[in-house]
Amino acid sequence: MITTDLANVQAATPVSEPSTIVVKIGTSSLTQGALGKLALATIASLVETLSHLQQSGYRVILVSSGAVGVGCARLGLKERPRTMAMKQAVAAVGQGRLMRVYDDMFTTLGQPMAQVLLTRTDLVQRSRYVNSYRTFRQLLQLGVIPVVNENDTVAVEELKFGDNDTLSAQVASLVGADWLFLLTDVQQLYSADPRYNDDAEPIYIVDKVEQLADLQVGDRGSQWGTGGMVTKIEAARIATTAGVRTVITEGKHPENLLKILSGEALGTQFSAQPRPANARKRWIAHGLMPAGKLYLDSGAVRAISQGGKSLLAAGITEIEGEFERQDAVQLYGPNGQEVARGIVNYDHTELQKIQGHRSEEIAHILGYDGAETVIHRDNLVVHMA
Ligand code: GLU
């Protein structure tokens, strides 16, 4: 259900401590004016709020954009760079400056911080995923606030998070956060664009992200950043399916985080879905990059989602993509909705041959013995209906 009537909004119960919160702030909140100068007052308020939260027992991670924007300002560029090499060079200039500003401000408040730069590939390989998790955990145990950005200077186009909304949701999933705050330039989501539509109503609570499917949200990011509402809603989907309560709220007032954590109905709040049983399943669902799609009949959807069963070849009706064994794939039901993700035991050519067949027939069709299941249930993450 989507709640647009404030009277029906119930205060959030603050989660039991120590809870972990991930806060994402974008370039449009961190900079001001056409030249991308830093919005120092906003950054100071953010740093104060996060230090306060950390010192009151929360574990805090900041995901901050701004490397490209600040780099442009530092180099006097009038517009966002277009070529990859230029973007990467500019980000290298801006990232250092950005960290300098954060570190000065956090240090003034006696709060240690750390720079963590991630690329999409860090989360694909299981050993690097686990390693990144351990580093975050260690930093948080030390009372440090990690300040995360994409490693723009080395990331390659096909293997980028692309925007920090997605990055922040992935980080929230990785560390098993309780809250993700996406700070942006509007107070909350509206049922239509409020600039052009007098009937636009603020949305306070979203129980399931799918309920926003019909919403007309602008998809353009700001002049310097890359996100927009579309990437925020996608980030909310990733984070909530990983069990993270997600809030879209205004970046100009970071101090509002304290109010939201104490139960005020500010911003648009997305309810968390049940958290996948273990961290490995969250890696399968969000760390791995799916290389293909399997379409299932309704019997197979029922078996995996209600019966906790493995996926067998018999229930597969169609295959898309050129995936190898042990790649991740997305599973779709007959109504076209994604129902699960998992790691396949067969590559796409093998699956083309055995789809729709019973497991006993597989050895005969392929001419060799294969796994009994296409995706074993330990390697399957079902999205809750
Ligand atoms: N990583 C980019 C930067 O720091 C920003 C990506 C985004 O705008 O979401 O400039």
mmCIF file of all heavy atoms in Angstrom, residues 305-354:
data_model
loop_
_atom_site.group_PDB
_atom_site.id
_atom_site.type_symbol
_atom_site.label_atom_id
_atom_site.label_comp_id
_atom_site.label_asym_id
_atom_site.label_seq_id
_atom_site.Cartn_x
_atom_site.Cartn_y
_atom_site.Cartn_z
ATOM 1 N N SER A 305 9.006 -20.711 -4.586
ATOM 2 C CA SER A 305 8.681 -19.616 -3.660
ATOM 3 C C SER A 305 7.880 -20.082 -2.455
ATOM 4 O O SER A 305 8.023 -19.527 -1.373
ATOM 5 C CB SER A 305 7.988 -18.467 -4.382
ATOM 6 O OG SER A 305 6.908 -18.934 -5.130
ATOM 7 N N GLN A 306 7.053 -21.119 -2.624
ATOM 8 C CA GLN A 306 6.278 -21.566 -1.454
ATOM 9 C C GLN A 306 6.798 -22.866 -0.879
ATOM 10 O O GLN A 306 6.709 -23.113 0.317
ATOM 11 C CB GLN A 306 4.808 -21.711 -1.824
ATOM 12 C CG GLN A 306 4.157 -20.346 -2.022
ATOM 13 C CD GLN A 306 2.875 -20.442 -2.823
ATOM 14 O OE1 GLN A 306 2.204 -21.468 -2.820
ATOM 15 N NE2 GLN A 306 2.536 -19.379 -3.530
ATOM 16 N N GLY A 307 7.374 -23.694 -1.741
ATOM 17 C CA GLY A 307 7.807 -25.002 -1.245
ATOM 18 C C GLY A 307 9.265 -25.042 -0.830
ATOM 19 O O GLY A 307 9.745 -26.070 -0.345
ATOM 20 N N GLY A 308 10.006 -23.940 -1.042
ATOM 21 C CA GLY A 308 11.423 -23.927 -0.669
ATOM 22 C C GLY A 308 12.237 -24.942 -1.466
ATOM 23 O O GLY A 308 13.256 -25.445 -1.000
ATOM 24 N N LYS A 309 11.777 -25.254 -2.683
ATOM 25 C CA LYS A 309 12.437 -26.297 -3.487
ATOM 26 C C LYS A 309 13.517 -25.700 -4.393
ATOM 27 O O LYS A 309 13.555 -24.501 -4.626
ATOM 28 C CB LYS A 309 11.375 -26.975 -4.383
ATOM 29 C CG LYS A 309 10.261 -27.678 -3.619
ATOM 30 C CD LYS A 309 10.669 -29.116 -3.418
ATOM 31 C CE LYS A 309 9.647 -30.047 -2.807
ATOM 32 N NZ LYS A 309 8.449 -29.552 -2.212
ATOM 33 N N SER A 310 14.356 -26.601 -4.940
ATOM 34 C CA SER A 310 15.343 -26.202 -5.945
ATOM 35 C C SER A 310 14.624 -26.043 -7.281
ATOM 36 O O SER A 310 13.504 -26.524 -7.461
ATOM 37 C CB SER A 310 16.406 -27.297 -6.085
ATOM 38 O OG SER A 310 17.082 -27.473 -4.853
ATOM 39 N N LEU A 311 15.297 -25.386 -8.246
ATOM 40 C CA LEU A 311 14.699 -25.244 -9.578
ATOM 41 C C LEU A 311 15.133 -26.407 -10.464
ATOM 42 O O LEU A 311 16.328 -26.684 -10.609
ATOM 43 C CB LEU A 311 15.142 -23.919 -10.220
ATOM 44 C CG LEU A 311 14.637 -23.724 -11.655
ATOM 45 C CD1 LEU A 311 13.120 -23.534 -11.679
ATOM 46 C CD2 LEU A 311 15.342 -22.559 -12.334
ATOM 47 N N LEU A 312 14.151 -27.071 -11.080
ATOM 48 C CA LEU A 312 14.427 -28.188 -11.982
ATOM 49 C C LEU A 312 14.207 -27.754 -13.426
ATOM 50 O O LEU A 312 13.464 -26.793 -13.689
ATOM 51 C CB LEU A 312 13.502 -29.369 -11.644
ATOM 52 C CG LEU A 312 13.560 -29.856 -10.183
ATOM 53 C CD1 LEU A 312 12.581 -31.007 -9.972
ATOM 54 C CD2 LEU A 312 14.976 -30.281 -9.804
ATOM 55 N N ALA A 313 14.809 -28.492 -14.343
ATOM 56 C CA ALA A 313 14.709 -28.142 -15.770
ATOM 57 C C ALA A 313 13.263 -28.157 -16.257
ATOM 58 O O ALA A 313 12.872 -27.360 -17.124
ATOM 59 C CB ALA A 313 15.554 -29.116 -16.588
ATOM 60 N N ALA A 314 12.446 -29.036 -15.683
ATOM 61 C CA ALA A 314 11.076 -29.220 -16.158
ATOM 62 C C ALA A 314 10.248 -27.934 -16.132
ATOM 63 O O ALA A 314 9.383 -27.721 -16.980
ATOM 64 C CB ALA A 314 10.391 -30.293 -15.311
ATOM 65 N N GLY A 315 10.535 -27.044 -15.184
ATOM 66 C CA GLY A 315 9.697 -25.853 -15.031
ATOM 67 C C GLY A 315 10.160 -24.661 -15.847
ATOM 68 O O GLY A 315 9.589 -23.576 -15.757
ATOM 69 N N ILE A 316 11.212 -24.840 -16.664
ATOM 70 C CA ILE A 316 11.749 -23.700 -17.421
ATOM 71 C C ILE A 316 11.105 -23.657 -18.803
ATOM 72 O O ILE A 316 11.096 -24.648 -19.525
ATOM 73 C CB ILE A 316 13.285 -23.809 -17.564
ATOM 74 C CG1 ILE A 316 13.916 -23.870 -16.175
ATOM 75 C CG2 ILE A 316 13.854 -22.640 -18.365
ATOM 76 C CD1 ILE A 316 15.403 -24.125 -16.176
ATOM 77 N N THR A 317 10.559 -22.494 -19.170
ATOM 78 C CA THR A 317 9.868 -22.399 -20.460
ATOM 79 C C THR A 317 10.691 -21.644 -21.502
ATOM 80 O O THR A 317 10.500 -21.828 -22.696
ATOM 81 C CB THR A 317 8.508 -21.687 -20.297
ATOM 82 O OG1 THR A 317 8.748 -20.423 -19.662
ATOM 83 C CG2 THR A 317 7.542 -22.505 -19.450
ATOM 84 N N GLU A 318 11.589 -20.754 -21.065
ATOM 85 C CA GLU A 318 12.354 -19.958 -22.028
ATOM 86 C C GLU A 318 13.656 -19.486 -21.387
ATOM 87 O O GLU A 318 13.717 -19.309 -20.161
ATOM 88 C CB GLU A 318 11.514 -18.729 -22.386
ATOM 89 C CG GLU A 318 11.749 -18.202 -23.774
ATOM 90 C CD GLU A 318 10.975 -16.905 -23.976
ATOM 91 O OE1 GLU A 318 9.756 -16.897 -23.672
ATOM 92 O OE2 GLU A 318 11.600 -15.924 -24.419
ATOM 93 N N ILE A 319 14.657 -19.270 -22.242
ATOM 94 C CA ILE A 319 15.976 -18.876 -21.732
ATOM 95 C C ILE A 319 16.491 -17.681 -22.518
ATOM 96 O O ILE A 319 16.325 -17.623 -23.729
ATOM 97 C CB ILE A 319 16.958 -20.053 -21.912
ATOM 98 C CG1 ILE A 319 16.586 -21.173 -20.958
ATOM 99 C CG2 ILE A 319 18.406 -19.640 -21.659
ATOM 100 C CD1 ILE A 319 17.075 -22.506 -21.403
ATOM 101 N N GLU A 320 17.097 -16.742 -21.814
ATOM 102 C CA GLU A 320 17.691 -15.587 -22.504
ATOM 103 C C GLU A 320 19.107 -15.377 -21.997
ATOM 104 O O GLU A 320 19.358 -15.515 -20.790
ATOM 105 C CB GLU A 320 16.893 -14.328 -22.128
ATOM 106 C CG GLU A 320 16.058 -13.743 -23.245
ATOM 107 C CD GLU A 320 15.286 -12.553 -22.717
ATOM 108 O OE1 GLU A 320 15.913 -11.575 -22.249
ATOM 109 O OE2 GLU A 320 14.049 -12.639 -22.740
ATOM 110 N N GLY A 321 20.023 -15.019 -22.879
ATOM 111 C CA GLY A 321 21.382 -14.667 -22.454
ATOM 112 C C GLY A 321 22.359 -15.800 -22.656
ATOM 113 O O GLY A 321 21.969 -16.962 -22.762
ATOM 114 N N GLU A 322 23.643 -15.427 -22.717
ATOM 115 C CA GLU A 322 24.683 -16.438 -22.954
ATOM 116 C C GLU A 322 25.475 -16.631 -21.678
ATOM 117 O O GLU A 322 26.588 -16.141 -21.535
ATOM 118 C CB GLU A 322 25.575 -15.980 -24.097
ATOM 119 C CG GLU A 322 24.776 -15.743 -25.352
ATOM 120 C CD GLU A 322 25.630 -15.704 -26.597
ATOM 121 O OE1 GLU A 322 26.860 -15.593 -26.472
ATOM 122 O OE2 GLU A 322 25.037 -15.788 -27.689
ATOM 123 N N PHE A 323 24.916 -17.329 -20.746
ATOM 124 C CA PHE A 323 25.571 -17.481 -19.442
ATOM 125 C C PHE A 323 26.333 -18.801 -19.361
ATOM 126 O O PHE A 323 26.066 -19.738 -20.112
ATOM 127 C CB PHE A 323 24.545 -17.368 -18.312
ATOM 128 C CG PHE A 323 23.320 -18.202 -18.524
ATOM 129 C CD1 PHE A 323 23.302 -19.529 -18.119
ATOM 130 C CD2 PHE A 323 22.181 -17.670 -19.136
ATOM 131 C CE1 PHE A 323 22.172 -20.311 -18.316
ATOM 132 C CE2 PHE A 323 21.052 -18.449 -19.337
ATOM 133 C CZ PHE A 323 21.047 -19.773 -18.933
ATOM 134 N N GLU A 324 27.308 -18.816 -18.455
ATOM 135 C CA GLU A 324 28.107 -20.016 -18.200
ATOM 136 C C GLU A 324 27.587 -20.690 -16.931
ATOM 137 O O GLU A 324 26.822 -20.089 -16.176
ATOM 138 C CB GLU A 324 29.572 -19.624 -17.953
ATOM 139 C CG GLU A 324 30.214 -18.806 -19.056
ATOM 140 C CD GLU A 324 30.392 -19.606 -20.331
ATOM 141 O OE1 GLU A 324 30.561 -20.847 -20.218
ATOM 142 O OE2 GLU A 324 30.339 -19.015 -21.427
ATOM 143 N N ARG A 325 28.070 -21.911 -16.681
ATOM 144 C CA ARG A 325 27.763 -22.555 -15.399
ATOM 145 C C ARG A 325 28.287 -21.673 -14.263
ATOM 146 O O ARG A 325 29.353 -21.073 -14.411
ATOM 147 C CB ARG A 325 28.496 -23.897 -15.293
ATOM 148 C CG ARG A 325 27.965 -24.949 -16.218
ATOM 149 C CD ARG A 325 28.729 -26.221 -15.959
ATOM 150 N NE ARG A 325 28.402 -27.213 -16.968
ATOM 151 C CZ ARG A 325 28.847 -28.465 -16.926
ATOM 152 N NH1 ARG A 325 29.623 -28.858 -15.937
ATOM 153 N NH2 ARG A 325 28.508 -29.318 -17.860
ATOM 154 N N GLN A 326 27.569 -21.645 -13.169
ATOM 155 C CA GLN A 326 27.916 -20.867 -11.964
ATOM 156 C C GLN A 326 27.730 -19.356 -12.143
ATOM 157 O O GLN A 326 28.138 -18.578 -11.289
ATOM 158 C CB GLN A 326 29.348 -21.161 -11.460
ATOM 159 C CG GLN A 326 29.601 -22.618 -11.119
ATOM 160 C CD GLN A 326 28.553 -23.163 -10.149
ATOM 161 O OE1 GLN A 326 28.292 -22.555 -9.106
ATOM 162 N NE2 GLN A 326 27.928 -24.289 -10.481
ATOM 163 N N ASP A 327 27.145 -18.939 -13.269
ATOM 164 C CA ASP A 327 26.773 -17.521 -13.393
ATOM 165 C C ASP A 327 25.460 -17.286 -12.646
ATOM 166 O O ASP A 327 24.696 -18.237 -12.395
ATOM 167 C CB ASP A 327 26.541 -17.153 -14.873
ATOM 168 C CG ASP A 327 27.834 -16.717 -15.562
ATOM 169 O OD1 ASP A 327 28.842 -16.510 -14.854
ATOM 170 O OD2 ASP A 327 27.819 -16.593 -16.801
ATOM 171 N N ALA A 328 25.199 -16.025 -12.343
ATOM 172 C CA ALA A 328 23.909 -15.690 -11.731
ATOM 173 C C ALA A 328 22.888 -15.412 -12.829
ATOM 174 O O ALA A 328 23.232 -14.863 -13.877
ATOM 175 C CB ALA A 328 24.059 -14.451 -10.861
ATOM 176 N N VAL A 329 21.649 -15.813 -12.605
ATOM 177 C CA VAL A 329 20.572 -15.514 -13.552
ATOM 178 C C VAL A 329 19.352 -14.994 -12.786
ATOM 179 O O VAL A 329 19.208 -15.238 -11.585
ATOM 180 C CB VAL A 329 20.141 -16.757 -14.380
ATOM 181 C CG1 VAL A 329 21.234 -17.190 -15.344
ATOM 182 C CG2 VAL A 329 19.728 -17.901 -13.469
ATOM 183 N N GLN A 330 18.494 -14.283 -13.526
ATOM 184 C CA GLN A 330 17.230 -13.808 -12.943
ATOM 185 C C GLN A 330 16.131 -14.774 -13.365
ATOM 186 O O GLN A 330 16.131 -15.251 -14.504
ATOM 187 C CB GLN A 330 16.894 -12.421 -13.496
ATOM 188 C CG GLN A 330 17.865 -11.345 -13.051
ATOM 189 C CD GLN A 330 17.736 -10.098 -13.900
ATOM 190 O OE1 GLN A 330 18.173 -10.077 -15.051
ATOM 191 N NE2 GLN A 330 17.135 -9.066 -13.347
ATOM 192 N N LEU A 331 15.208 -15.047 -12.461
ATOM 193 C CA LEU A 331 14.101 -15.959 -12.768
ATOM 194 C C LEU A 331 12.793 -15.161 -12.831
ATOM 195 O O LEU A 331 12.500 -14.375 -11.928
ATOM 196 C CB LEU A 331 13.979 -17.034 -11.685
ATOM 197 C CG LEU A 331 15.264 -17.776 -11.306
ATOM 198 C CD1 LEU A 331 14.951 -18.894 -10.323
ATOM 199 C CD2 LEU A 331 15.945 -18.356 -12.529
ATOM 200 N N TYR A 332 12.044 -15.392 -13.902
ATOM 201 C CA TYR A 332 10.787 -14.661 -14.095
ATOM 202 C C TYR A 332 9.607 -15.619 -14.099
ATOM 203 O O TYR A 332 9.712 -16.731 -14.618
ATOM 204 C CB TYR A 332 10.812 -13.901 -15.427
ATOM 205 C CG TYR A 332 11.729 -12.711 -15.387
ATOM 206 C CD1 TYR A 332 13.095 -12.869 -15.602
ATOM 207 C CD2 TYR A 332 11.242 -11.443 -15.099
ATOM 208 C CE1 TYR A 332 13.949 -11.773 -15.533
ATOM 209 C CE2 TYR A 332 12.089 -10.351 -15.029
ATOM 210 C CZ TYR A 332 13.436 -10.523 -15.242
ATOM 211 O OH TYR A 332 14.270 -9.439 -15.161
ATOM 212 N N GLY A 333 8.481 -15.183 -13.547
ATOM 213 C CA GLY A 333 7.260 -15.979 -13.569
ATOM 214 C C GLY A 333 6.494 -15.731 -14.861
ATOM 215 O O GLY A 333 6.872 -14.864 -15.655
ATOM 216 N N PRO A 334 5.381 -16.462 -15.060
ATOM 217 C CA PRO A 334 4.601 -16.320 -16.295
ATOM 218 C C PRO A 334 4.046 -14.901 -16.482
ATOM 219 O O PRO A 334 3.785 -14.481 -17.595
ATOM 220 C CB PRO A 334 3.447 -17.315 -16.125
ATOM 221 C CG PRO A 334 3.794 -18.155 -14.959
ATOM 222 C CD PRO A 334 4.833 -17.464 -14.151
ATOM 223 N N ASN A 335 3.867 -14.142 -15.390
ATOM 224 C CA ASN A 335 3.331 -12.772 -15.539
ATOM 225 C C ASN A 335 4.425 -11.737 -15.805
ATOM 226 O O ASN A 335 4.180 -10.542 -15.783
ATOM 227 C CB ASN A 335 2.525 -12.381 -14.295
ATOM 228 C CG ASN A 335 3.370 -12.414 -13.043
ATOM 229 O OD1 ASN A 335 4.581 -12.676 -13.106
ATOM 230 N ND2 ASN A 335 2.770 -12.139 -11.896
ATOM 231 N N GLY A 336 5.657 -12.204 -16.035
ATOM 232 C CA GLY A 336 6.734 -11.279 -16.397
ATOM 233 C C GLY A 336 7.410 -10.610 -15.213
ATOM 234 O O GLY A 336 8.253 -9.743 -15.394
ATOM 235 N N GLN A 337 7.054 -11.001 -13.981
ATOM 236 C CA GLN A 337 7.686 -10.403 -12.800
ATOM 237 C C GLN A 337 8.883 -11.225 -12.363
ATOM 238 O O GLN A 337 8.818 -12.457 -12.355
ATOM 239 C CB GLN A 337 6.680 -10.384 -11.646
ATOM 240 C CG GLN A 337 5.742 -9.223 -11.717
ATOM 241 C CD GLN A 337 5.660 -8.506 -10.373
ATOM 242 O OE1 GLN A 337 6.064 -9.060 -9.347
ATOM 243 N NE2 GLN A 337 5.142 -7.308 -10.376
ATOM 244 N N GLU A 338 9.947 -10.531 -11.971
ATOM 245 C CA GLU A 338 11.103 -11.275 -11.461
ATOM 246 C C GLU A 338 10.738 -11.897 -10.118
ATOM 247 O O GLU A 338 10.245 -11.215 -9.229
ATOM 248 C CB GLU A 338 12.299 -10.328 -11.296
ATOM 249 C CG GLU A 338 13.545 -11.085 -10.874
ATOM 250 C CD GLU A 338 14.778 -10.213 -10.655
ATOM 251 O OE1 GLU A 338 14.958 -9.228 -11.375
ATOM 252 O OE2 GLU A 338 15.549 -10.558 -9.747
ATOM 253 N N VAL A 339 10.961 -13.212 -9.980
ATOM 254 C CA VAL A 339 10.564 -13.877 -8.739
ATOM 255 C C VAL A 339 11.754 -14.339 -7.905
ATOM 256 O O VAL A 339 11.623 -14.578 -6.702
ATOM 257 C CB VAL A 339 9.655 -15.106 -9.007
ATOM 258 C CG1 VAL A 339 8.292 -14.674 -9.525
ATOM 259 C CG2 VAL A 339 10.293 -16.090 -9.980
ATOM 260 N N ALA A 340 12.929 -14.468 -8.526
ATOM 261 C CA ALA A 340 14.084 -14.969 -7.771
ATOM 262 C C ALA A 340 15.360 -14.757 -8.566
ATOM 263 O O ALA A 340 15.317 -14.388 -9.746
ATOM 264 C CB ALA A 340 13.905 -16.466 -7.490
ATOM 265 N N ARG A 341 16.477 -14.965 -7.893
ATOM 266 C CA ARG A 341 17.789 -14.999 -8.566
ATOM 267 C C ARG A 341 18.551 -16.197 -8.049
ATOM 268 O O ARG A 341 18.325 -16.648 -6.924
ATOM 269 C CB ARG A 341 18.601 -13.745 -8.248
ATOM 270 C CG ARG A 341 18.048 -12.546 -8.935
ATOM 271 C CD ARG A 341 18.927 -11.342 -8.792
ATOM 272 N NE ARG A 341 18.241 -10.238 -9.440
ATOM 273 C CZ ARG A 341 18.797 -9.104 -9.779
ATOM 274 N NH1 ARG A 341 20.069 -8.893 -9.525
ATOM 275 N NH2 ARG A 341 18.105 -8.170 -10.366
ATOM 276 N N GLY A 342 19.477 -16.700 -8.854
ATOM 277 C CA GLY A 342 20.243 -17.838 -8.370
ATOM 278 C C GLY A 342 21.442 -18.128 -9.239
ATOM 279 O O GLY A 342 21.645 -17.488 -10.282
ATOM 280 N N ILE A 343 22.237 -19.106 -8.795
ATOM 281 C CA ILE A 343 23.450 -19.499 -9.533
ATOM 282 C C ILE A 343 23.147 -20.803 -10.260
ATOM 283 O O ILE A 343 22.771 -21.807 -9.631
ATOM 284 C CB ILE A 343 24.626 -19.708 -8.556
ATOM 285 C CG1 ILE A 343 24.890 -18.405 -7.781
ATOM 286 C CG2 ILE A 343 25.877 -20.151 -9.300
ATOM 287 C CD1 ILE A 343 25.973 -18.527 -6.722
ATOM 288 N N VAL A 344 23.353 -20.813 -11.593
ATOM 289 C CA VAL A 344 22.958 -21.982 -12.400
ATOM 290 C C VAL A 344 24.038 -23.063 -12.451
ATOM 291 O O VAL A 344 25.230 -22.759 -12.470
ATOM 292 C CB VAL A 344 22.662 -21.617 -13.886
ATOM 293 C CG1 VAL A 344 21.232 -21.245 -14.098
ATOM 294 C CG2 VAL A 344 23.627 -20.580 -14.409
ATOM 295 N N ASN A 345 23.579 -24.298 -12.535
ATOM 296 C CA ASN A 345 24.493 -25.445 -12.668
ATOM 297 C C ASN A 345 24.759 -25.811 -14.127
ATOM 298 O O ASN A 345 25.570 -26.694 -14.400
ATOM 299 C CB ASN A 345 23.913 -26.666 -11.953
ATOM 300 C CG ASN A 345 23.910 -26.467 -10.445
ATOM 301 O OD1 ASN A 345 24.803 -25.820 -9.904
ATOM 302 N ND2 ASN A 345 22.889 -26.995 -9.776
ATOM 303 N N TYR A 346 24.037 -25.172 -15.059
ATOM 304 C CA TYR A 346 24.213 -25.479 -16.482
ATOM 305 C C TYR A 346 24.438 -24.185 -17.256
ATOM 306 O O TYR A 346 23.918 -23.131 -16.863
ATOM 307 C CB TYR A 346 22.951 -26.159 -17.039
ATOM 308 C CG TYR A 346 22.749 -27.558 -16.516
ATOM 309 C CD1 TYR A 346 21.875 -27.797 -15.454
ATOM 310 C CD2 TYR A 346 23.436 -28.630 -17.065
ATOM 311 C CE1 TYR A 346 21.693 -29.081 -14.964
ATOM 312 C CE2 TYR A 346 23.261 -29.915 -16.582
ATOM 313 C CZ TYR A 346 22.391 -30.146 -15.535
ATOM 314 O OH TYR A 346 22.224 -31.401 -15.051
ATOM 315 N N ASP A 347 25.182 -24.285 -18.392
ATOM 316 C CA ASP A 347 25.324 -23.073 -19.201
ATOM 317 C C ASP A 347 24.116 -22.955 -20.149
ATOM 318 O O ASP A 347 23.264 -23.855 -20.198
ATOM 319 C CB ASP A 347 26.680 -23.043 -19.930
ATOM 320 C CG ASP A 347 26.794 -24.101 -21.023
ATOM 321 O OD1 ASP A 347 25.754 -24.552 -21.537
ATOM 322 O OD2 ASP A 347 27.939 -24.489 -21.347
ATOM 323 N N HIS A 348 24.076 -21.864 -20.918
ATOM 324 C CA HIS A 348 22.851 -21.611 -21.693
ATOM 325 C C HIS A 348 22.624 -22.648 -22.787
ATOM 326 O O HIS A 348 21.481 -22.996 -23.080
ATOM 327 C CB HIS A 348 22.859 -20.190 -22.276
ATOM 328 C CG HIS A 348 23.870 -19.972 -23.357
ATOM 329 N ND1 HIS A 348 25.207 -19.818 -23.104
ATOM 330 C CD2 HIS A 348 23.741 -19.914 -24.694
ATOM 331 C CE1 HIS A 348 25.850 -19.649 -24.245
ATOM 332 N NE2 HIS A 348 24.992 -19.714 -25.223
ATOM 333 N N THR A 349 23.707 -23.197 -23.384
ATOM 334 C CA THR A 349 23.480 -24.176 -24.463
ATOM 335 C C THR A 349 22.931 -25.483 -23.874
ATOM 336 O O THR A 349 22.039 -26.107 -24.460
ATOM 337 C CB THR A 349 24.777 -24.471 -25.263
ATOM 338 O OG1 THR A 349 25.810 -24.760 -24.319
ATOM 339 C CG2 THR A 349 25.197 -23.313 -26.136
ATOM 340 N N GLU A 350 23.449 -25.862 -22.723
ATOM 341 C CA GLU A 350 22.924 -27.076 -22.076
ATOM 342 C C GLU A 350 21.455 -26.887 -21.695
ATOM 343 O O GLU A 350 20.613 -27.762 -21.920
ATOM 344 C CB GLU A 350 23.742 -27.389 -20.817
ATOM 345 C CG GLU A 350 25.181 -27.820 -21.108
ATOM 346 C CD GLU A 350 26.040 -27.882 -19.848
ATOM 347 O OE1 GLU A 350 25.977 -26.954 -19.012
ATOM 348 O OE2 GLU A 350 26.791 -28.855 -19.696
ATOM 349 N N LEU A 351 21.185 -25.697 -21.159
ATOM 350 C CA LEU A 351 19.803 -25.466 -20.697
ATOM 351 C C LEU A 351 18.803 -25.415 -21.850
ATOM 352 O O LEU A 351 17.653 -25.835 -21.698
ATOM 353 C CB LEU A 351 19.722 -24.169 -19.900
ATOM 354 C CG LEU A 351 19.846 -24.287 -18.391
ATOM 355 C CD1 LEU A 351 19.478 -22.971 -17.727
ATOM 356 C CD2 LEU A 351 18.958 -25.399 -17.830
ATOM 357 N N GLN A 352 19.263 -24.902 -23.015
ATOM 358 C CA GLN A 352 18.378 -24.887 -24.187
ATOM 359 C C GLN A 352 17.889 -26.301 -24.474
ATOM 360 O O GLN A 352 16.750 -26.525 -24.843
ATOM 361 C CB GLN A 352 19.108 -24.387 -25.451
ATOM 362 C CG GLN A 352 19.644 -22.972 -25.381
ATOM 363 C CD GLN A 352 18.553 -21.919 -25.521
ATOM 364 O OE1 GLN A 352 17.375 -22.270 -25.616
ATOM 365 N NE2 GLN A 352 18.933 -20.658 -25.492
ATOM 366 N N LYS A 353 18.816 -27.278 -24.299
ATOM 367 C CA LYS A 353 18.472 -28.663 -24.640
ATOM 368 C C LYS A 353 17.578 -29.317 -23.579
ATOM 369 O O LYS A 353 16.715 -30.117 -23.905
ATOM 370 C CB LYS A 353 19.751 -29.498 -24.785
ATOM 371 C CG LYS A 353 20.615 -29.040 -25.953
ATOM 372 C CD LYS A 353 21.865 -29.904 -26.062
ATOM 373 C CE LYS A 353 22.886 -29.246 -26.977
ATOM 374 N NZ LYS A 353 24.264 -29.532 -26.589
ATOM 375 N N ILE A 354 17.810 -28.994 -22.326
ATOM 376 C CA ILE A 354 17.097 -29.761 -21.284
ATOM 377 C C ILE A 354 15.873 -29.043 -20.725
ATOM 378 O O ILE A 354 15.125 -29.609 -19.938
ATOM 379 C CB ILE A 354 18.053 -30.147 -20.128
ATOM 380 C CG1 ILE A 354 18.611 -28.898 -19.427
ATOM 381 C CG2 ILE A 354 19.178 -31.040 -20.623
ATOM 382 C CD1 ILE A 354 19.418 -29.231 -18.171
#
